[in-house]
Amino acid sequence: MPILRTYPFIRIWHAGCSTGQEVYSMAILLEEEGLYPRCRIYATDMNEMVLKQAKSGIFSLQLMQEYTQLYLKAGGKRSFSEYYTAAYDSAIFRSSLKENIVFSQHNLATDSSFNEFNVILCRNVLIYFNKTLQKRVYELFHVSLCPFGILGLGRQETLRFTPYEAYYEELKGSEKLYRRIH
Amino acid sequence: MFKLVVIGTSLGGLSALKLLLAELPADFPAAIAVVQHRHRDSEDMMSSFLRPYIALPIKEVVDKDDLLPGTVYVAPSDYHLLVEADYFTLSTDEPVSYARPSIDVLFESAADVYGEFVIGVILTGANQDGAKGLAAIKAQGGSTIVQEPSTAESATMPEAAIATAVVDWILPLSDIAPHLTNLCQPVWK
């Protein structure tokens, strides 16, 4: 967050966003940090079905209860219920959370770069790709990240032993966050 | 010659693994992959707990890690562990019988890829995960070992494996490591 605060405008790409949980978490975090108005979040997935679900912002109440626990654990500053409206056995995220999110179809295996980002998050997506495809996607991320942009991978993923290792420094802490330095 | 040993365990597994892995010599020639059911937040506590007791290098698997002989690979919490010909992959697919990592998932992928060159081992545990995977290993020509249920902290998992799969050896915990060492010994020795 301290790094993001230094930018006048922040572009974030969730590559392989699936049904969008992480995207809404990010929107809430940015909102609570007062950064959301100057952010644009691009949420992409190759699967049109999951993208449609992500765009709807509708989740089961049962899941929402689970997410409430996670929100508290993550140090959320408000009441999680402020962010959604419940009806029957589902809940829908407030539409203002979606204001700066663009949902769009994009295939990491075949499509090319479509913008320059300050942050790219791609967690537990590349584990489904073989090494050749992974290399292609790391190349794609590299050309899509602005200098000093941040790439976030899953807990058990690494840039080590890839051709792009030297272009990034790993940020301290247990999360897999890499900063582009070349 | 056997190239891979896959071990699955749940309740009571950590102390069983400690005893078993401590008995394996530093020149153990096969790779070892372990699934131990545990809480999804437990990060890499498990390999750091075991490391002081064992002679072999041990690590929590990172996606696409090479599969090297004489190394113990631990399935990370909240990921399924699968093997390819010479490396590991991870997946965040749905839990299988409430478990992620799932023993069946690891064992079935090991059976597919390594066939007769894999040994499956089921230790103590309080559910039935691993029984189907062990049967898959046998069906592909691999070998199977189950901890003698009376020596297990929880007998459910060994009993389920014995009921489901053809088991080559049912052994008390203390006999498993020496037996693995014999089985994996290079033929020219």
Side-chain angles (χ1 to χ4, degrees):
Chain A
M1 283 299 149
I3 296 177
L4 296 189
R5 218 177 280 287
T6 63
Y7 295 119
F9 192 79
I10 307 160
R11 266 190 298 265
I12 299 170
W13 179 16
H14 283 268
C17 68
S18 189
T19 45
Q21 285 88 339
E22 222 174 69
V23 182
Y24 288 103
S25 307
M26 179 60 91
I28 289 171
L29 175 63
L30 292 165
E31 164 84 21
E32 296 192 357
E33 293 293 322
L35 296 175
Y36 192 54
R38 50 186 162 114
C39 287
R40 174 73 33 102
I41 300 176
Y42 297 79
T44 67
D45 204 284
M46 59 168 281
N47 182 333
E48 230 171 315
M49 293 295 286
V50 297
L51 206 57
K52 214 166 145 186
Q53 208 192 317
K55 205 170 178 174
S56 77
I58 298 173
F59 296 90
S60 78
L61 265 188
Q62 198 191 338
L63 280 175
M64 277 305 197
Q65 277 156 12
E66 213 178 290
Y67 299 157
T68 304
Q69 296 304 315
L70 295 173
Y71 173 78
L72 291 171
K73 219 174 125 195
K77 292 176 180 166
R78 302 179 196 170
S79 159
F80 193 58
S81 57
E82 281 180 35
Y83 294 107
Y84 63 83
T85 309
Y88 305 104
D89 53 358
S90 303
I92 182 163
F93 277 115
R94 241 174 44 198
S95 61
S96 63
L97 273 183
K98 272 190 274 191
E99 224 158 65
N100 297 343
I101 305 175
V102 181
F103 291 95
S104 153
Q105 200 179 11
H106 181 275
N107 187 339
L108 289 170
T110 51
D111 295 340
S112 52
S113 177
F114 59 96
N115 213 326
E116 198 179 66
F117 300 95
N118 306 99
V119 179
I120 298 176
L121 293 175
C122 185
R123 303 177 68 229
N124 299 328
V125 176
L126 297 184
I127 53 178
Y128 295 100
F129 289 19
N130 66 25
K131 287 188 204 175
T132 313
L133 262 185
Q134 282 187 351
K135 214 180 119 202
R136 179 195 194 273
V137 179
Y138 284 132
E139 161 82 38
L140 173 65
F141 287 165
H142 192 249
V143 300
S144 308
L145 260 186
C146 66
F148 303 110
I150 291 167
L151 173 63
L153 301 177
R155 194 182 79 217
Q156 301 300 129
E157 298 173 276
T158 181
L159 274 181
R160 284 188 68 192
F161 314 118
T162 74
Y164 291 91
E165 183 180 0
Y167 298 118
Y168 294 85
E169 63 173 7
E170 197 172 343
L171 296 182
K172 297 253 181 299
S174 61
E175 298 303 321
K176 286 284 165 43
L177 294 174
Y178 295 88
R179 191 172 200 194
R180 183 184 159 182
I181 47 174
H182 291 296
Chain B
M1 198 183 110
F2 293 107
K3 295 200 169 98
L4 175 67
V5 178
V6 287
I7 303 176
T9 180
S10 145
L11 184 68
L14 210 50
S15 42
L17 281 170
K18 190 177 110 182
L19 284 170
L20 191 162
L21 296 174
E23 293 288 316
L24 295 176
D27 61 353
F28 189 79
I32 300 165
V34 180
V35 166
Q36 150 90 68
H37 293 162
R38 60 198 196 284
H39 194 264
R40 65 179 180 193
D41 289 339
S42 62
E43 304 265 332
D44 66 350
M45 292 286 288
M46 193 178 142
S47 46
S48 18
F49 169 78
L50 290 169
R51 190 166 294 117
Y53 301 101
I54 68 181
L56 299 166
I58 180 168
K59 69 169 302 191
E60 219 100 342
V61 173
V62 174
D63 183 48
K64 306 293 184 288
D65 264 346
D66 287 331
L67 190 156
L68 302 172
T71 306
V72 181
Y73 297 93
V74 176
S77 60
D78 214 20
Y79 288 86
H80 290 304
L81 176 63
L82 298 96
V83 293
E84 294 286 336
D86 51 4
Y87 60 92
F88 291 97
T89 64
L90 299 173
S91 121
T92 52
D93 286 354
E94 289 300 303
V96 177
S97 350
Y98 307 104
R100 190 171 70 194
S102 146
I103 301 169
D104 283 336
V105 167
L106 171 65
F107 280 26
E108 281 165 16
S109 82
D112 282 348
V113 176
Y114 280 87
E116 60 185 298
F117 301 108
V118 65
I119 305 172
V121 183
I122 292 290
L123 304 176
T124 167
N127 55 58
Q128 322 225 317
D129 190 16
K132 272 195 284 182
L134 202 69
I137 287 177
K138 194 68 221 173
Q140 299 293 328
S143 296
T144 52
I145 299 176
V146 172
Q147 178 177 4
E148 157 72 64
S150 65
T151 70
E153 192 173 320
S154 174
T156 314
M157 193 180 273
E159 279 167 356
I162 292 165
T164 309
V166 177
V167 179
D168 297 316
W169 298 281
I170 299 171
L171 301 170
L173 180 60
S174 53
D175 289 359
I176 294 178
H179 193 65
L180 284 174
T181 310
N182 277 336
L183 286 174
C184 296
Q185 210 155 70
V187 279
W188 58 83
K189 263 199 181 170

